[in-house]
């Protein structure tokens, strides 16, 4: 049976592509009125009536990653988000629900500079420092004694044991080594917020389709990174205490859609590891489910820090691996109805 896909719609007049790289206040009440009128004008039905439930997963489309001048700006993110906004507006009638993940941190976390010191009491340089198991073993970097009282239930000695355990686990698990990042995604700060233009598009969809956006916070635990939205990098601390778990409810939600479209930042890190973990779950359940996943290749970019790190090759290798497993690499500018499997 061929299910009907809602037609491509025009972009509402309020959208200004030139403002995607800016921060501004979304006029909610006005946009709610606009969305209701737009739905009536274009006969956009409530999402609950959709025959095919299409989900959009927008990963970490936050100021901290997506706007120039913010902490971990991903080159290309502004144009990625312009295309993402246009994709949402064009496909308001087809997307049943939008799921948004948000990297959510506090200053004292294992990947931020304050967590570590060297023999001189200096913190590592963010963005260019990678801490390995050997670095911890030989004492090149050690846990900052001043932060131990801030981590409930942990002594300085126990934190030191965990630091060695953590860097070893990353290597053994085939994950990225521990990178010290600039302070970013700080809960309550402007960097943590969604990009204004994307937030507006998501809000507009919410009202037009009577579809509640699902927000998922990740990355709060101080003793592990959390690139993937589906689980942290390390699940268990050195003392056996659980410091994270697989987000089974989110996995079930994502795999419950008839089709799932994925976009966001960064292609090499949070997007790649989220899709990787989703693929692991798919292989355990039914490898054919990979054919339901669509990766918006033109709405995501890898981490590249000039003269420091370039994860472009890792990102491309990951996306090739996903395609080989049966997922689809597609462009936001092509009509959904033309994608394979629709």
């Amino acid at each position: 049976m061929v299910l009907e896909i809602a037609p491509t719609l025009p972009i509402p007049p309020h959208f200004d592509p030139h403002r995607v790289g800016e921060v501004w206040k979304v006029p909610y009440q006005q946009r709610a009125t606009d969305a209701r009128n737009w739905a009536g004008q274009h006969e956009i039905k409530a999402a609950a009536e959709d025959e095919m439930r299409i989900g959009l997963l927008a990963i970490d489309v936050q100021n901290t990653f997506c706007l120039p001048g913010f902490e971990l700006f991903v080159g290309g993110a502004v144009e990625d988000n312009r295309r993402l906004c246009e994709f949402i507006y064009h496909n308001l009638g087809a997307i049943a629900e939008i799921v948004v993940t948000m990297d959510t941190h506090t200053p004292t976390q294992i990947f931020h500079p304050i967590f570590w010191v060297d023999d001189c009491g200096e913190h590592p340089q963010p963005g260019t420092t990678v801490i390995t198991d050997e670095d911890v073993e030989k004492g090149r970097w050690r846990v900052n004694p001043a932060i131990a009282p801030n981590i409930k239930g942990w002594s300085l000695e126990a934190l030191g044991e965990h630091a060695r355990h953590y860097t070893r686990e990353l290597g053994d698990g085939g994950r990225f080594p521990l990178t010290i990042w600039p302070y970013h995604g700080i809960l309550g700060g402007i960097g943590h917020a969604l990009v204004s233009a994307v937030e507006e598009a998501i809000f507009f969809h919410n009202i037009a389709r009577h579809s509640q956006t699902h927000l998922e916070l990740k990355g709060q635990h101080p003793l592990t990174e959390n690139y993937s939205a589906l689980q942290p990098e390390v699940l268990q601390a050195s003392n056996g205490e659980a410091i994270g778990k697989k987000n089974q409810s989110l996995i079930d939600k994502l795999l419950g859609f008839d089709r799932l479209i994925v976009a966001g930042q960064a292609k090499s890190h949070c997007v790649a590891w989220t899709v990787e973990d989703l693929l692991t779950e798919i292989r355990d359940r039914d490898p054919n489910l990979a054919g339901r996943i669509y990766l918006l290749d033109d709405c995501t970019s890898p981490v590249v820090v000039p003269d420091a790190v370039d994860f472009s090759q890792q990102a491309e290798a990951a996306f090739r691996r996903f395609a080989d497993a049966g997922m689809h690499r597609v462009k936001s500018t092509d009509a959904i109805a033309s994608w394979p499997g629709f």
Side-chain angles (χ1 to χ4, degrees):
M1 180 178 66
V2 178
L3 298 179
E4 180 182 351
I5 303 297
T8 301
L9 298 169
I11 294 177
H14 69 260
F15 177 65
D16 183 352
H18 302 294
R19 298 192 67 196
V20 175
E22 302 174 9
V23 176
W24 37 272
K25 177 183 177 295
V26 175
Y28 298 118
Q29 191 56 52
Q30 181 59 55
R31 288 296 167 265
T33 300
D34 295 341
R36 289 195 299 272
N37 292 338
W38 195 253
Q41 179 183 346
H42 294 279
E43 300 181 341
I44 301 171
K45 62 186 179 182
E49 300 178 36
D50 290 359
E51 291 181 301
M52 177 185 288
R53 285 193 56 77
I54 299 173
L56 171 63
L57 173 61
I59 298 173
D60 299 1
V61 282
Q62 298 161 264
N63 293 331
T64 199
F65 302 115
C66 297
L67 296 191
F70 276 76
E71 300 83 11
L72 280 175
F73 173 61
V74 177
V78 174
E79 286 303 301
D80 291 338
N81 284 332
R82 176 186 60 77
R83 288 185 286 267
L84 178 59
C85 289
E86 291 172 349
F87 177 80
I88 293 171
Y89 289 127
H90 280 315
N91 297 285
L92 276 176
I95 300 168
E97 183 178 345
I98 299 176
V99 178
V100 179
T101 71
M102 301 185 72
D103 219 27
T104 306
H105 302 314
T106 57
T108 306
Q109 295 196 254
I110 200 167
F111 46 81
H112 279 155
I114 197 173
F115 197 93
W116 301 91
V117 291
D118 61 14
D119 286 339
C120 298
E122 296 296 324
H123 302 304
Q125 184 67 30
T128 58
T129 303
V130 172
I131 297 179
T132 65
D133 181 39
E134 182 182 2
D135 291 331
V136 179
E137 179 187 11
K138 295 187 175 180
R140 297 189 189 109
W141 294 108
R142 56 190 175 85
V143 177
N144 179 3
I147 62 103
N150 297 319
I151 302 179
K152 187 177 180 180
W154 287 81
S155 66
L156 178 59
E157 180 182 7
L159 286 172
E161 293 173 356
H162 175 72
R164 178 75 198 282
H165 162 81
Y166 185 78
T167 51
R168 188 188 306 120
E169 285 289 301
L170 290 178
D172 292 347
R175 315 297 277 193
F176 284 132
L178 174 60
T179 299
I180 303 304
W181 297 109
Y183 298 105
H184 68 284
I186 302 299
L187 182 61
I190 196 169
H192 182 257
L194 295 175
V195 170
S196 298
V198 177
E199 181 199 3
E200 183 175 53
I202 291 171
F203 178 79
F204 195 85
H205 171 273
N206 191 323
I207 302 299
R209 297 297 321 272
H210 292 84
S211 172
Q212 179 63 49
T213 303
H214 179 92
L215 292 169
E216 192 79 30
L217 305 187
K218 68 180 180 70
Q220 297 97 316
H221 200 287
L223 299 182
T224 180
E225 299 153 286
N226 213 138
Y227 294 129
S228 171
L230 304 182
Q231 66 177 26
E233 298 298 284
V234 173
L235 297 174
Q236 195 172 59
S238 55
N239 62 2
E241 175 185 323
I243 54 175
K245 63 180 180 179
K246 184 164 65 172
N247 191 336
Q248 195 62 55
S249 63
L250 181 57
I251 291 171
D252 292 341
K253 183 176 190 63
L254 297 177
L255 293 182
F257 291 111
D258 296 307
R259 302 290 187 272
L260 178 67
I261 303 164
V262 182
Q265 302 303 335
K267 185 177 185 178
S268 52
H269 286 70
C270 297
V271 173
W273 283 115
T274 298
V275 178
E276 184 72 46
D277 287 341
L278 191 62
L279 180 56
T280 297
E281 187 73 19
I282 285 172
R283 284 171 170 156
D284 289 342
R285 295 189 186 193
D286 177 3
N288 292 321
L289 292 174
R292 296 183 180 183
I293 311 301
Y294 294 78
L295 310 175
L296 286 181
D297 244 335
D298 58 346
C299 294
T300 183
S301 295
V303 170
V304 178
V305 180
D307 303 319
V309 294
D310 185 341
F311 288 96
S312 299
Q313 290 184 355
Q314 291 93 327
E316 179 58 27
F319 269 52
R320 283 199 304 267
R321 186 168 64 254
F322 302 150
D324 290 343
M327 297 181 182
H328 308 280
R329 300 179 68 172
V330 295
K331 290 188 178 300
S332 65
T333 50
D334 295 334
I336 286 180
S338 71
W339 292 354
F342 275 91

